[in-house]
């Protein structure tokens, strides 16, 4: 059995919850996707009792600050653990080609050589190409370019060892070109910036995002049985789960999840 651990659920400007990022747990190993916008990633991992020494695989979707800046803290902290002899083996960071230089530059400008000296030796970068398949922790990942017009961004589809298929098309709305990577999946992880009736307040379409209604109509059309909505605004966080669920269930009849930071889901 594998587990989805939600570390953050907010959009780039969220302050009452952490930026959207998550970990997939398989046994005692973890695959981290994005690291949010700062050192809040360290607290999020600590709250979920995820040891840094058990994270050997990280995927970074794109260069927006709410997804990439936490990588500086992850690299610094893991490199420090390496220096102390507490971290065994290597850390592999998967990303598209342009992100390699971006991540390295951010780190070289902000943390010391005592940490960045591990680059290309114990901290390794693996460039992923559109449509490329890789086996990671015994699962088959297919990485794909989501075709963003804002910033080059990749997502992935997983064929888990146990047979479950999960699709994660990044933090922008699904579009038809992504059908081969989403169709037939049992789980869809999709952004939902706000409620449809709040679209004039939060302007999701101007930001290349969707509403709860849009994401739920999509999952219903694609007959996805399990839908997770996140990457949201945070202006009324105590009511978010109830309000988003109520709107979503009008358009989607599968298993709808609107997680809070720290929730877990098993596959």
């Amino acid at each position: 059995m594998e587990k989805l651990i939600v570390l953050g659920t907010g959009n780039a400007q969220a302050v009452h919850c952490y930026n959207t990022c998550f970990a997939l747990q398989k046994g005692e190993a973890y695959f981290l996707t994005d690291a949010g916008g700062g050192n809040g990633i360290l607290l999020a991992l600590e709250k979920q009792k995820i040891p840094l020494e058990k994270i050997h695989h990280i995927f970074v979707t794109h260069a927006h600050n709410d997804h990439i800046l936490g990588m500086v803290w992850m690299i610094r902290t893991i490199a420090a653990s390496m220096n102390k002899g507490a971290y065994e083996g290597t850390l592999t960071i998967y990303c598209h080609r342009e992100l390699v230089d971006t991540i390295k530059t951010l780190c070289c400008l902000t943390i010391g050589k005592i940490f960045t000296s591990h680059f290309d030796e114990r901290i390794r970068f693996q460039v992923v190409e559109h449509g490329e398949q890789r086996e990671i922790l015994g699962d088959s990942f297919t990485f794909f370019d989501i075709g963003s017009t804002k910033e080059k961004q990749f997502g992935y589809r997983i064929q888990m060892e146990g047979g479950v298929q999960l699709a994660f098309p990044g933090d922008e709305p699904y579009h038809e070109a992504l059908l081969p990577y989403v169709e037939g999946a049992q789980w869809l992880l999709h952004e939902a910036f706000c409620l449809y009736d709040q679209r004039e307040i939060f302007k999701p379409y101007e930001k290349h995002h969707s509403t709860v209604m849009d994401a739920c109509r999509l999952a219903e059309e694609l007959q996805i049985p399990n839908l997770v909505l996140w990457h949201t605004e945070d202006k009324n966080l105590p009511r978010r789960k109830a309000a988003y669920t109520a709107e979503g269930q009008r358009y989607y009849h599968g298993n709808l999840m609107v997680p809070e930071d720290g929730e877990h889901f098993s596959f």
Side-chain angles (χ1 to χ4, degrees):
M1 179 180 294
E2 299 192 35
K3 184 183 293 184
L4 168 67
I5 302 173
V6 180
L7 299 171
T9 56
N11 64 25
Q13 293 183 301
V15 295
H16 302 293
C17 57
Y18 194 55
N19 309 123
T20 299
C21 55
F22 59 97
L24 295 169
Q25 181 182 5
K26 188 172 185 182
E28 295 185 354
Y30 298 86
F31 178 91
L32 181 65
T33 296
D34 287 335
N39 68 350
I41 184 61
L42 303 178
L43 177 60
L45 292 169
E46 181 180 290
K47 284 182 176 179
Q48 301 311 312
K49 297 180 172 56
I50 299 177
L52 288 171
E53 291 74 22
K54 297 296 184 180
I55 300 174
H56 291 274
H57 303 274
I58 304 177
F59 172 66
V60 184
T61 56
H62 63 301
H64 284 168
N65 66 331
D66 55 319
H67 297 263
I68 198 173
L69 292 183
M71 283 301 298
V72 175
W73 292 93
M74 289 297 297
I75 289 169
R76 187 190 192 283
T77 309
I78 288 175
S81 184
M82 289 176 174
N83 292 339
K84 294 175 183 176
Y87 188 99
E88 296 182 0
T90 60
L91 169 66
T92 302
I93 299 169
Y94 306 86
C95 59
H96 64 72
R97 190 171 303 278
E98 291 87 336
L99 277 182
V100 175
D101 286 341
T102 301
I103 294 171
K104 285 184 174 181
T105 299
L106 284 170
C107 290
C108 289
L109 290 173
T110 56
I111 61 177
K113 290 183 179 179
I114 192 172
F115 308 115
T116 59
S117 62
H118 292 290
F119 284 165
D120 302 321
E121 294 183 8
R122 295 188 66 191
I123 298 178
R124 302 173 179 175
F125 291 83
Q126 292 288 326
V127 172
V128 296
E129 304 289 350
H130 180 65
E132 181 178 358
Q133 292 185 346
R134 288 178 180 264
E135 184 171 304
I136 304 170
L137 297 177
D139 293 337
S140 178
F141 284 72
T142 302
F143 295 96
F144 57 87
D145 189 330
I146 73 167
S148 172
T149 57
K150 293 193 301 182
E151 178 75 30
K152 187 174 181 179
Q153 179 174 173
F154 272 52
Y156 57 72
R157 180 188 178 111
I158 312 174
Q159 173 74 53
M160 296 183 180
E161 194 171 13
V164 173
Q165 297 187 62
L166 177 148
F168 168 60
D171 78 344
E172 293 189 23
Y174 163 88
H175 53 85
E176 288 186 5
L178 302 181
L179 181 61
Y181 305 104
V182 175
E183 188 176 34
Q186 288 88 40
W187 286 73
L188 175 63
L189 314 180
H190 200 281
E191 57 83 31
F193 202 82
C194 64
L195 298 168
Y196 182 73
D197 63 9
Q198 293 184 326
R199 64 194 183 282
E200 295 303 322
I201 299 172
F202 295 108
K203 311 293 185 184
Y205 303 132
E206 295 176 13
K207 301 177 178 73
H208 298 263
H209 290 301
S210 59
T211 68
V212 172
M213 181 194 76
D214 300 321
C216 288
R217 279 182 165 173
L218 164 69
E220 183 78 5
E221 179 182 342
L222 294 176
Q223 299 181 329
I224 305 288
N226 300 283
L227 173 64
V228 177
L229 299 182
W230 51 23
H231 203 272
T232 77
E233 51 78 26
D234 68 333
K235 301 307 180 187
N236 194 359
L237 205 58
R239 291 194 63 252
R240 180 180 64 180
K241 183 186 289 286
Y244 281 37
T245 300
E247 175 168 294
Q249 288 178 339
R250 295 202 295 268
Y251 307 99
Y252 174 68
H253 298 92
N255 181 26
L256 176 61
M257 289 150 278
V258 183
E260 307 290 355
D261 291 13
E263 285 198 47
H264 296 196
F265 302 100
S266 295
F267 304 112

